């Protein structure tokens, strides 16, 4: 069974990577013209699809890496660097700008009923950062019970995402532009530290250091 520290680290990593509060204003723009009931349906469908995507990577991501001949240590280094880049974007507000551009493109190209799949589930919720973090976390949780606990952590995070999207209009008003900027930068600094730890652990594993 995974330790409480490991589960807390997993929960924090996914929480910061998915960035539920940061999704709220984008979700409002994405669902413009919908009533509250329709927005909840889109939020629920998108959260469920994202959960199944991340759960699949939690269960089979390491096996895919094994087939490709990629060690967990090497992936931890690569994934840590990717997460560090995402943290850099969060601190300097570049990630939000990129997400907003993705949202604008989706509104013009996809029908409203498909928004839950793209871009909400992919790539806004289950994006490259969340997928990388999931595979990294699964690499340190090897037993069946550990993987079940990781899926529980993913489910808890996606429940928070659904809740944030369901009350997105109120959350956006409560945080305001200043609150969102402060929260995004704070989460970015935390993610940068977690990413650095992934790189350190990956280097130790790859070099067989104690």
């Amino acid at each position: 069974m995974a330790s409480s520290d490991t589960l807390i680290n997993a929960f924090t990593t996914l929480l910061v990577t998915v960035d539920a509060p940061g999704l709220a204003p984008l979700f409002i723009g994405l669902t413009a013209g919908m009533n509250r009931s329709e927005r909840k349906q889109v939020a629920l469908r998108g959260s469920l699809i994202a959960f199944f995507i991340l759960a699949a990577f939690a269960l089979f991501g390491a096996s895919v890496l094994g087939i490709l001949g990629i060690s967990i240590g090497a992936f931890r280094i690569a994934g840590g660097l990717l997460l560090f880049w995402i943290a850099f974007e969060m601190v300097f507000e570049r990630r939000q700008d990129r997400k907003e551009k993705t949202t604008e493109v989706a509104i013009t190209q996809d029908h409203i009923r498909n928004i839950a799949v793209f871009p909400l589930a992919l790539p806004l919720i289950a994006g490259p950062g969340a997928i990388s973090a999931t595979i990294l976390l699964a690499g340190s949780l090897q037993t069946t019970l550990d993987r079940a606990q990781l899926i529980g952590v993913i489910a808890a995070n996606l429940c928070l995402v659904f809740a944030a999207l369901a009350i997105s209009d109120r959350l956006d008003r409560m945080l305001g532009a200043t609150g969102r900027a402060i929260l995004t930068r704070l989460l970015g600094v935390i993610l940068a530290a977690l990413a650095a730890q992934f790189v350190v652990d990956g280097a130790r594993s790859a070099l067989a250091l104690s």
Side-chain angles (χ1 to χ4, degrees):
M1 179 179 291
S3 67
S4 58
D5 288 345
T6 301
L7 294 177
I8 291 172
N9 179 61
F11 181 83
T12 305
T13 301
L14 288 174
L15 181 68
V16 172
T17 308
V18 173
D19 185 19
L23 290 174
L26 302 178
F27 182 72
I28 292 173
L30 198 63
T31 56
M34 294 186 184
N35 58 40
R36 180 164 293 182
S37 176
E38 290 170 335
R39 280 180 169 172
K40 284 186 177 181
Q41 290 178 16
V42 173
L44 179 60
R45 186 181 181 197
S47 299
L48 286 173
I49 292 170
F51 167 75
F52 286 115
I53 291 171
L54 294 179
F57 276 100
L59 293 174
F60 308 114
S63 300
V64 173
L65 292 180
I67 293 173
L68 296 175
I70 301 172
S71 70
I72 291 297
F75 191 83
R76 281 177 180 163
I77 295 172
L81 293 174
L82 175 60
L83 292 179
F84 188 86
W85 175 252
I86 292 173
F88 177 86
E89 290 186 325
M90 291 174 71
V91 171
F92 292 97
E93 285 279 293
R94 296 182 180 180
R95 192 184 189 206
Q96 195 74 4
D97 293 340
R98 177 164 50 81
K99 282 186 173 184
E100 287 173 359
K101 290 178 181 178
T102 302
T103 301
E104 291 169 2
V105 171
I107 289 174
T108 59
Q109 293 184 352
D110 285 351
H111 193 273
I112 291 294
R113 67 185 179 186
N114 295 323
I115 282 177
V117 180
F118 177 85
L120 185 56
L122 277 170
L124 294 181
I125 300 177
I131 291 173
S132 298
T134 299
I135 297 177
L136 288 171
L137 294 168
S140 58
L141 299 170
Q142 299 291 341
T143 68
T144 302
L145 180 56
D146 288 346
R147 294 290 173 85
Q149 289 177 313
L150 176 57
I151 291 176
V153 168
I154 294 171
N157 268 280
L158 270 296
C159 285
L160 290 178
V161 169
F162 170 71
L165 297 183
I167 60 170
S168 55
D169 51 348
R170 284 171 283 178
L171 185 62
D172 191 44
R173 285 196 302 269
M174 181 180 68
L175 289 175
T178 303
R180 286 198 306 270
I182 293 172
L183 183 60
T184 298
R185 284 170 170 79
L186 178 61
L187 293 177
V189 172
I190 294 173
L191 182 59
L194 291 169
Q197 188 62 53
F198 278 129
V199 173
V200 170
D201 292 343
R204 286 176 176 172
S205 175
L207 299 175
L209 299 176
S210 58

